[in-house]
Protein backbone atom coordinates (compact mmCIF):
# COMPACT_ATOMS: atom_id res chain seq x y z
CA UNK A 1 0.00 0.00 0.00
CA UNK A 2 2.76 2.42 0.95
CA UNK A 3 4.57 1.60 -2.28
CA UNK A 4 1.43 2.24 -4.32
CA UNK A 5 0.89 5.62 -2.69
CA UNK A 6 4.55 6.53 -3.18
CA UNK A 7 4.34 5.78 -6.90
CA UNK A 8 1.69 8.51 -7.12
CA UNK A 9 2.83 11.01 -4.51
CA UNK A 10 6.54 11.16 -5.38
CA UNK A 11 6.00 11.93 -9.11
CA UNK A 12 3.34 14.46 -8.11
CA UNK A 13 5.71 16.23 -5.73
CA UNK A 14 8.44 16.21 -8.34
CA UNK A 15 6.06 17.66 -10.90
CA UNK A 16 4.85 20.38 -8.52
CA UNK A 17 8.44 21.33 -7.69
CA UNK A 18 9.45 21.38 -11.33
CA UNK A 19 6.36 23.45 -12.17
CA UNK A 20 7.22 26.01 -9.52
CA UNK A 21 10.79 26.35 -10.76
CA UNK A 22 9.62 26.56 -14.38
CA UNK A 23 7.04 29.23 -13.51
CA UNK A 24 9.65 31.30 -11.69
CA UNK A 25 12.02 30.93 -14.65
CA UNK A 26 9.27 31.94 -17.10
CA UNK A 27 8.64 35.12 -15.09
CA UNK A 28 12.36 35.97 -15.01
CA UNK A 29 12.66 35.46 -18.76
CA UNK A 30 9.59 37.64 -19.31
CA UNK A 31 11.07 40.42 -17.15
CA UNK A 32 14.31 40.28 -19.16
CA UNK A 33 12.34 40.45 -22.40
CA UNK A 34 10.23 43.39 -21.18
CA UNK A 35 13.37 45.23 -20.02
CA UNK A 36 15.11 44.75 -23.39
CA UNK A 37 12.07 45.97 -25.30
CA UNK A 38 11.67 48.94 -22.97
CA UNK A 39 15.30 49.86 -23.63
CA UNK A 40 14.61 49.98 -27.37
CA UNK A 41 11.42 52.00 -26.96
CA UNK A 42 13.10 54.39 -24.52
CA UNK A 43 16.02 55.10 -26.85
CA UNK A 44 13.61 55.84 -29.70
CA UNK A 45 11.45 58.20 -27.63
CA UNK A 46 14.40 59.93 -25.97
CA UNK A 47 16.11 60.50 -29.33
CA UNK A 48 12.91 61.98 -30.75
CA UNK A 49 12.54 64.38 -27.82
CA UNK A 50 16.19 65.39 -28.12
CA UNK A 51 15.44 66.27 -31.74
CA UNK A 52 12.60 68.47 -30.50
CA UNK A 53 15.04 70.20 -28.13
CA UNK A 54 17.43 70.88 -31.02
CA UNK A 55 14.65 72.25 -33.22
CA UNK A 56 13.48 74.61 -30.47
CA UNK A 57 17.08 75.70 -29.83
CA UNK A 58 17.68 76.40 -33.53
CA UNK A 59 14.48 78.43 -33.79
CA UNK A 60 15.41 80.38 -30.64
CA UNK A 61 18.83 81.15 -32.13
CA UNK A 62 17.18 82.25 -35.36
CA UNK A 63 14.96 84.70 -33.46
CA UNK A 64 17.67 85.92 -31.11
CA UNK A 65 17.82 89.71 -30.70
CA UNK A 66 14.79 90.18 -32.99
CA UNK A 67 11.83 92.16 -31.76
CA UNK A 68 8.24 91.07 -32.35
CA UNK A 69 7.96 93.74 -35.04
CA UNK A 70 11.13 92.53 -36.73
CA UNK A 71 9.92 88.92 -36.73
CA UNK A 72 6.61 89.95 -38.29
CA UNK A 73 8.40 92.04 -40.92
CA UNK A 74 10.68 89.10 -41.83
CA UNK A 75 8.07 86.37 -41.42
CA UNK A 76 8.52 84.94 -44.93
CA UNK A 77 12.27 84.42 -44.60
CA UNK A 78 11.96 82.99 -41.09
CA UNK A 79 9.11 80.72 -42.17
CA UNK A 80 11.19 79.33 -45.05
CA UNK A 81 14.16 78.58 -42.78
CA UNK A 82 12.06 76.92 -40.07
CA UNK A 83 10.20 74.89 -42.69
CA UNK A 84 13.47 73.58 -44.12
CA UNK A 85 14.60 72.76 -40.60
CA UNK A 86 11.73 70.36 -39.91
CA UNK A 87 10.52 69.13 -43.30
CA UNK A 88 12.62 65.92 -43.07
CA UNK A 89 11.60 65.12 -39.48
CA UNK A 90 8.53 62.84 -39.55
CA UNK A 91 7.83 63.11 -35.81
CA UNK A 92 7.32 66.88 -36.00
CA UNK A 93 3.89 67.99 -37.14
CA UNK A 94 4.68 71.72 -37.05
CA UNK A 95 6.50 74.51 -35.20
CA UNK A 96 4.75 77.61 -33.89
CA UNK A 97 6.37 80.79 -32.59
CA UNK A 98 3.96 82.75 -30.40
CA UNK A 99 4.32 86.29 -29.10
CA UNK A 100 3.74 87.31 -25.48
CA UNK A 101 0.00 87.61 -26.16
CA UNK A 102 -0.21 84.08 -27.54
CA UNK A 103 -0.59 85.15 -31.16
CA UNK A 104 1.36 83.30 -33.90
CA UNK A 105 4.39 85.09 -35.35
CA UNK A 106 5.77 82.26 -37.52
CA UNK A 107 4.48 78.78 -38.39
CA UNK A 108 6.76 76.24 -40.07
CA UNK A 109 4.15 74.68 -42.35
CA UNK A 110 1.76 77.57 -42.79
CA UNK A 111 2.25 80.98 -44.34
CA UNK A 112 1.22 83.56 -43.42
CA UNK A 113 0.75 82.78 -39.74
CA UNK A 114 -2.88 83.22 -38.56
CA UNK A 115 -2.05 86.28 -36.47
CA UNK A 116 -5.72 86.83 -35.60
CA UNK A 117 -5.80 83.65 -33.50
CA UNK A 118 -4.70 83.51 -29.88
CA UNK A 119 -3.39 80.50 -27.95
CA UNK A 120 -3.09 82.34 -24.65
CA UNK A 121 -5.70 80.04 -23.07
CA UNK A 122 -3.70 76.89 -23.79
CA UNK A 123 -2.32 75.18 -20.70
CA UNK A 124 1.24 75.11 -22.05
CA UNK A 125 1.17 78.87 -22.73
CA UNK A 126 -0.12 79.57 -19.22
CA UNK A 127 2.60 77.32 -17.74
CA UNK A 128 5.31 79.34 -19.49
CA UNK A 129 3.80 82.76 -18.88
CA UNK A 130 2.45 82.48 -15.34
CA UNK A 131 4.52 79.68 -13.80
CA UNK A 132 7.78 80.55 -15.58
CA UNK A 133 8.21 76.93 -16.71
CA UNK A 134 11.09 76.68 -19.19
CA UNK A 135 10.22 73.32 -20.77
CA UNK A 136 6.74 71.84 -21.01
CA UNK A 137 4.96 68.87 -22.59
CA UNK A 138 1.26 69.45 -23.16
CA UNK A 139 -1.67 67.09 -22.98
CA UNK A 140 -2.93 65.49 -26.19
CA UNK A 141 -4.39 68.21 -28.43
CA UNK A 142 -6.26 68.55 -31.71
CA UNK A 143 -4.84 70.81 -34.41
CA UNK A 144 -6.80 74.08 -34.79
CA UNK A 145 -5.86 74.52 -38.44
CA UNK A 146 -5.15 71.05 -39.91
CA UNK A 147 -7.36 69.12 -37.43
CA UNK A 148 -4.74 66.46 -36.67
CA UNK A 149 -3.84 65.06 -33.22
CA UNK A 150 -0.59 66.17 -31.59
CA UNK A 151 1.01 67.06 -28.30
CA UNK A 152 3.20 70.08 -27.77
CA UNK A 153 6.79 70.25 -26.62
CA UNK A 154 7.35 73.93 -25.87
CA UNK A 155 9.94 76.29 -24.48
CA UNK A 156 9.64 79.71 -22.90
CA UNK A 157 10.97 82.70 -24.83
CA UNK A 158 12.23 85.53 -22.73
CA UNK A 159 13.52 89.05 -23.31
CA UNK A 160 17.07 90.07 -22.31
CA UNK A 161 15.71 91.35 -19.00
CA UNK A 162 14.14 87.93 -18.26
CA UNK A 163 10.58 89.03 -18.98
CA UNK A 164 8.22 86.60 -20.73
CA UNK A 165 8.41 87.09 -24.48
CA UNK A 166 6.34 84.24 -25.91
CA UNK A 167 6.66 80.53 -26.68
CA UNK A 168 8.33 78.23 -29.19
CA UNK A 169 6.00 75.24 -29.58
CA UNK A 170 7.02 72.07 -31.42
CA UNK A 171 3.94 70.05 -32.37
CA UNK A 172 4.77 66.35 -32.07
CA UNK A 173 2.84 63.68 -33.96
CA UNK A 174 1.60 60.77 -31.79
CA UNK A 175 1.09 58.77 -34.99
CA UNK A 176 4.87 58.69 -35.48
CA UNK A 177 5.36 56.94 -32.15
CA UNK A 178 2.37 54.71 -32.78
CA UNK A 179 4.04 53.46 -35.97
CA UNK A 180 7.37 52.96 -34.18
CA UNK A 181 5.71 50.99 -31.39
CA UNK A 182 3.85 48.86 -33.94
CA UNK A 183 7.19 47.86 -35.49
CA UNK A 184 8.50 46.84 -32.07
CA UNK A 185 5.40 44.79 -31.25
CA UNK A 186 6.14 41.09 -30.82
CA UNK A 187 2.84 39.74 -29.47
CA UNK A 188 -0.92 40.37 -29.81
CA UNK A 189 -1.07 41.82 -26.28
CA UNK A 190 1.99 44.09 -26.59
CA UNK A 191 1.43 47.61 -25.28
CA UNK A 192 3.62 50.71 -25.26
CA UNK A 193 2.81 54.20 -24.05
CA UNK A 194 4.17 57.68 -23.45
CA UNK A 195 2.63 59.05 -20.25
CA UNK A 196 3.09 62.28 -18.31
CA UNK A 197 3.77 62.16 -14.59
CA UNK A 198 0.22 63.37 -13.91
CA UNK A 199 -1.17 60.33 -15.74
CA UNK A 200 -2.00 62.10 -19.02
CA UNK A 201 -1.58 59.59 -21.88
CA UNK A 202 0.18 61.16 -24.87
CA UNK A 203 0.60 58.02 -26.97
CA UNK A 204 -0.74 54.52 -26.55
CA UNK A 205 -0.22 51.45 -28.71
CA UNK A 206 -2.47 49.84 -29.66
CA UNK A 207 -4.90 52.72 -29.93
CA UNK A 208 -8.41 52.20 -28.63
CA UNK A 209 -11.10 53.46 -26.36
CA UNK A 210 -10.28 54.17 -22.75
CA UNK A 211 -9.42 56.99 -20.39
CA UNK A 212 -7.08 59.73 -21.60
CA UNK A 213 -5.64 60.12 -18.09
CA UNK A 214 -4.74 57.47 -15.54
CA UNK A 215 -6.42 57.85 -12.16
CA UNK A 216 -4.32 58.39 -9.00
CA UNK A 217 -5.13 54.88 -7.76
CA UNK A 218 -3.85 53.07 -10.88
CA UNK A 219 -0.77 50.87 -10.81
CA UNK A 220 1.30 53.35 -12.81
CA UNK A 221 0.57 56.34 -10.58
CA UNK A 222 1.27 54.35 -7.41
CA UNK A 223 4.50 52.94 -8.89
CA UNK A 224 6.01 56.29 -9.92
CA UNK A 225 5.13 57.74 -6.51
CA UNK A 226 7.40 55.12 -4.93
CA UNK A 227 10.00 54.82 -7.72
CA UNK A 228 9.93 58.04 -9.75
CA UNK A 229 12.65 57.23 -12.29
CA UNK A 230 12.38 53.57 -13.27
CA UNK A 231 10.31 50.65 -12.04
CA UNK A 232 7.97 47.71 -12.50
CA UNK A 233 4.36 47.04 -11.55
CA UNK A 234 1.53 44.63 -12.41
CA UNK A 235 -2.21 45.06 -12.94
CA UNK A 236 -4.94 42.45 -12.60
CA UNK A 237 -7.23 44.11 -15.12
CA UNK A 238 -6.39 46.85 -17.62
CA UNK A 239 -8.80 49.78 -17.90
CA UNK A 240 -8.36 49.60 -21.68
CA UNK A 241 -8.92 45.95 -22.62
CA UNK A 242 -9.35 43.98 -19.42
CA UNK A 243 -6.01 42.13 -19.77
CA UNK A 244 -3.72 41.53 -16.80
CA UNK A 245 -0.19 42.72 -17.51
CA UNK A 246 3.29 43.29 -16.16
CA UNK A 247 4.63 46.79 -16.87
CA UNK A 248 8.03 48.44 -16.79
CA UNK A 249 8.63 52.17 -17.17
CA UNK A 250 11.44 54.72 -17.41
CA UNK A 251 11.40 58.50 -17.09
CA UNK A 252 12.92 60.83 -19.67
CA UNK A 253 15.66 63.12 -18.35
CA UNK A 254 14.58 66.69 -17.47
CA UNK A 255 10.92 66.08 -18.35
CA UNK A 256 8.00 64.58 -16.37
CA UNK A 257 7.38 62.05 -19.14
CA UNK A 258 7.60 58.25 -19.02
CA UNK A 259 7.99 55.46 -21.55
CA UNK A 260 5.91 52.46 -20.46
CA UNK A 261 5.88 48.91 -21.86
CA UNK A 262 3.37 46.22 -20.91
CA UNK A 263 3.46 42.45 -21.42
CA UNK A 264 0.40 40.21 -20.93
CA UNK A 265 0.63 37.77 -18.05
CA UNK A 266 -1.30 35.30 -20.23
CA UNK A 267 1.74 35.11 -22.51
CA UNK A 268 3.93 34.26 -19.51
CA UNK A 269 1.43 31.60 -18.43
CA UNK A 270 1.26 30.14 -21.94
CA UNK A 271 5.06 29.90 -22.09
CA UNK A 272 5.08 28.10 -18.73
CA UNK A 273 2.35 25.66 -19.80
CA UNK A 274 4.22 25.02 -23.04
CA UNK A 275 7.27 24.00 -21.05
CA UNK A 276 5.37 21.77 -18.62
CA UNK A 277 3.01 20.05 -21.10
CA UNK A 278 5.63 17.48 -22.28
CA UNK A 279 6.20 16.45 -18.66
CA UNK A 280 2.50 15.69 -18.30
CA UNK A 281 2.28 13.90 -21.62
CA UNK A 282 5.11 11.50 -20.78
CA UNK A 283 5.06 11.66 -16.98
CA UNK A 284 1.43 10.63 -16.33
CA UNK A 285 1.56 7.40 -18.33
CA UNK A 286 4.94 6.57 -16.77
CA UNK A 287 3.55 7.14 -13.27
Amino acid sequence: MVLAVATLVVPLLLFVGASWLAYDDANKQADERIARTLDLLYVNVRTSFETDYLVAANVAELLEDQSTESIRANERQIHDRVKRLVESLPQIEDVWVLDREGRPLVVAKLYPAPAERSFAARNYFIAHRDNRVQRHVSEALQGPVKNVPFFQYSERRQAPDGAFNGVIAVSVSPNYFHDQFAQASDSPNFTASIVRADGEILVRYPAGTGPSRLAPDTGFMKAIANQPDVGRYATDRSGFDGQSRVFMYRKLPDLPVYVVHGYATSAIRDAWIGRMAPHLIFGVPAA
Side-chain angles (χ1 to χ4, degrees):
M1 181 68 181
V2 173
L3 183 60
V5 172
T7 59
L8 296 175
V9 172
V10 172
L12 179 61
L13 290 175
L14 290 173
F15 180 77
V16 170
S19 296
W20 177 261
L21 292 174
Y23 187 73
D24 184 60
D25 188 54
N27 275 282
K28 288 179 180 177
Q29 289 185 8
D31 278 0
E32 291 172 359
R33 185 175 186 176
I34 298 168
R36 287 196 302 269
T37 304
L38 178 63
D39 286 343
L40 294 173
L41 299 175
Y42 176 83
V43 168
N44 180 285
V45 174
R46 178 173 176 172
T47 300
S48 297
F49 270 85
E50 287 173 348
T51 301
D52 300 338
Y53 306 162
L54 290 173
V55 168
N58 275 276
V59 174
E61 185 177 358
L62 187 62
L63 302 177
E64 193 174 13
D65 298 329
Q66 292 200 54
S67 65
T68 297
E69 294 72 23
S70 174
I71 294 171
R72 289 200 185 281
N74 296 293
E75 180 188 354
R76 181 78 217 200
Q77 294 90 332
I78 299 171
H79 158 80
D80 289 343
R81 293 182 65 177
V82 177
K83 182 180 179 181
R84 287 196 298 271
L85 181 65
V86 301
E87 61 187 359
S88 62
L89 300 174
Q91 72 270 36
I92 294 180
E93 191 64 43
D94 214 334
V95 177
W96 293 66
V97 179
L98 309 179
D99 67 13
R100 64 177 62 89
E101 304 299 327
R103 300 188 184 281
L105 294 171
V106 178
V107 183
K109 299 184 179 181
L110 182 67
Y111 178 83
E116 73 284 355
R117 298 185 67 97
S118 174
F119 297 91
R122 293 282 199 184
N123 289 334
Y124 68 87
F125 190 88
I126 294 170
H128 292 301
R129 183 192 62 196
D130 299 349
N131 301 329
R132 301 180 65 86
V133 173
Q134 182 57 37
R135 286 178 166 182
H136 186 270
V137 177
S138 78
E139 66 277 15
L141 300 167
Q142 196 72 19
V145 178
K146 293 185 282 186
N147 197 34
V148 295
F150 69 98
F151 61 89
Q152 205 83 278
Y153 167 75
S154 55
E155 293 190 3
R156 187 178 193 267
R157 297 176 58 225
Q158 60 185 38
D161 61 357
F164 176 69
N165 201 29
V167 170
I168 297 171
V170 180
S171 304
V172 182
S173 170
N175 293 331
Y176 169 81
F177 293 106
H178 193 275
D179 293 343
Q180 295 296 310
F181 294 164
Q183 293 178 29
S185 175
D186 59 358
S187 75
N189 292 315
F190 173 104
T191 69
S193 306
I194 302 175
V195 186
R196 290 197 320 194
D198 62 356
E200 183 75 21
I201 301 171
L202 304 179
V203 181
R204 184 181 189 275
Y205 175 85
T209 57
S212 61
R213 177 174 291 199
L214 300 174
D217 61 350
T218 55
F220 171 78
M221 297 301 289
K222 291 179 179 178
I224 65 171
N226 293 322
Q227 295 178 294
D229 293 322
V230 61
R232 177 191 188 278
Y233 67 98
T235 58
D236 293 330
R237 185 176 177 84
S238 168
F240 292 91
D241 57 13
Q243 290 280 346
S244 62
R245 287 190 173 86
V246 175
F247 292 89
M248 289 187 181
Y249 61 88
R250 189 183 299 181
K251 181 180 176 295
L252 294 179
D254 304 322
L255 285 175
V257 175
Y258 292 82
V259 183
V260 186
H261 170 43
Y263 196 81
T265 53
S266 60
I268 302 173
R269 184 179 63 250
D270 291 346
W272 168 65
I273 292 173
R275 293 177 61 179
M276 296 310 299
H279 295 284
L280 285 174
I281 293 170
F282 296 105
V284 171

